[in-house]
Amino acid sequence: MTTWAALGLQDSASPLMEQLTFFHDHALMILVMITTLVGYLMFMLFFNNYTNRNLLHGHTIELIWTILPAIVLLLIAFSSLRLLYMLDEINEPSVTLKTIGHQWYWSYEYSDFTNMEFDSYMIPTNELTADQFRLLDVDNRVILPMNSQIRILVTAADVIHSWTVPSLGVKVDGTPGRLNQTNFLMNRPGLFYGQCSEICGANHSFMPIVIESISINHFIKWITNSVNS
């Protein structure tokens, strides 16, 4: 999760988030080089009184400063399009999770199992224990297996919500009357925190998301006990 004074992205917990981080660094490096070059040229203009007559009407330099930006845009576009297709690809999911946004809590349904659904509310501040985070922990966590393809279906019952977990690279709008889907794969165990990222009303800040990533064997035991209970 994000900590105080953190300037970078959260540590990735999925291959897709790793690719998003790589693309962020790739685009940022290009922007830094462009900003440095343009800043240097503007700085030199303030202290250089000479005029190069060959640059006043030069087809060569015009050709260069037209082609170079086009190449730079292609370098960004190819990586971006590749990543967009990867984010939209659904690869035979092992588990399907349906998420329904309400004002102001989340409901979850494990579509592959019968009678497996629950609501997830934020834990009030006065009920927190020493090992829980204010405004981030919930009474019912989403339990999912690691190293398994997860498909998530997102909708809403009242207004537009947005189911977002930064460390997994997932952000899906929940729109009433519409079912959106995406996928992710968690490559390590742990707790991953998120929140609603759409301004959905007065208690918008109090719709946290907690994903608990566990091994497939522990997940089977948990889901079996939950369904039978």
Side-chain angles (χ1 to χ4, degrees):
M1 61 180 290
T2 303
T3 56
W4 292 108
L7 299 179
L9 301 173
Q10 294 186 19
D11 292 338
S12 65
S14 72
L16 290 178
M17 187 57 196
E18 289 179 3
Q19 293 298 317
L20 285 169
T21 304
F22 293 154
F23 175 70
H24 169 270
D25 296 342
H26 169 72
L28 191 62
M29 183 57 65
I30 292 176
L31 289 175
V32 167
M33 291 191 295
I34 293 174
T35 304
T36 303
L37 176 61
V38 174
Y40 171 76
L41 293 176
M42 292 182 66
F43 178 79
M44 293 304 295
L45 284 175
F46 287 110
F47 301 98
N48 191 347
N49 296 322
Y50 297 106
T51 300
N52 190 331
R53 62 184 179 85
N54 294 323
L55 293 180
L56 294 179
H57 298 285
H59 296 292
T60 303
I61 191 64
E62 290 180 3
L63 188 65
I64 292 174
W65 67 44
T66 300
I67 293 177
L68 278 182
I71 295 175
V72 170
L73 289 176
L74 288 176
L75 288 175
I76 298 175
F78 287 146
S79 300
S80 177
L81 289 174
R82 169 181 168 272
L83 192 53
L84 279 174
Y85 279 106
M86 289 175 61
L87 291 171
D88 283 339
E89 187 70 26
I90 305 295
N91 301 313
E92 297 184 2
S94 302
V95 177
T96 298
L97 177 72
K98 184 179 180 182
T99 302
I100 305 170
H102 302 271
Q103 289 182 314
W104 286 274
Y105 64 95
W106 298 100
S107 294
Y108 297 100
E109 300 176 6
Y110 288 78
S111 304
D112 303 306
F113 309 95
T114 57
N115 301 323
M116 187 55 201
E117 57 185 60
F118 55 85
D119 297 330
S120 181
Y121 291 86
M122 185 192 76
I123 300 177
T125 303
N126 58 351
E127 298 179 11
L128 289 173
T129 59
D131 60 342
Q132 293 177 327
F133 295 100
R134 176 178 173 270
L135 303 183
L136 282 178
D137 264 298
V138 296
D139 55 357
N140 289 312
R141 296 171 176 171
V142 178
I143 312 295
L144 292 171
M146 60 180 287
N147 294 325
S148 301
Q149 199 71 34
I150 310 297
R151 175 174 60 184
I152 179 162
L153 308 174
V154 183
T155 186
D158 34 52
V159 297
I160 298 177
H161 298 277
S162 186
W163 198 84
T164 306
V165 183
S167 58
L168 299 179
V170 178
K171 184 179 186 296
V172 187
D173 284 344
T175 309
R178 181 181 177 88
L179 205 61
N180 295 325
Q181 77 168 356
T182 188
N183 77 107
F184 59 88
L185 181 146
M186 297 176 291
N187 53 16
R188 61 186 174 92
L191 292 177
F192 310 117
Y193 294 86
Q195 288 177 304
C196 176
S197 295
E198 191 72 49
I199 300 177
C200 56
N203 292 331
H204 156 71
S205 303
F206 309 108
M207 291 184 64
I209 302 161
V210 182
I211 306 293
E212 184 173 351
S213 174
I214 59 178
S215 67
I216 186 67
N217 292 331
H218 286 88
F219 175 77
I220 293 173
K221 292 179 182 178
W222 173 81
I223 202 73
T224 302
N225 295 333
S226 299
V227 171
N228 293 334
S229 61

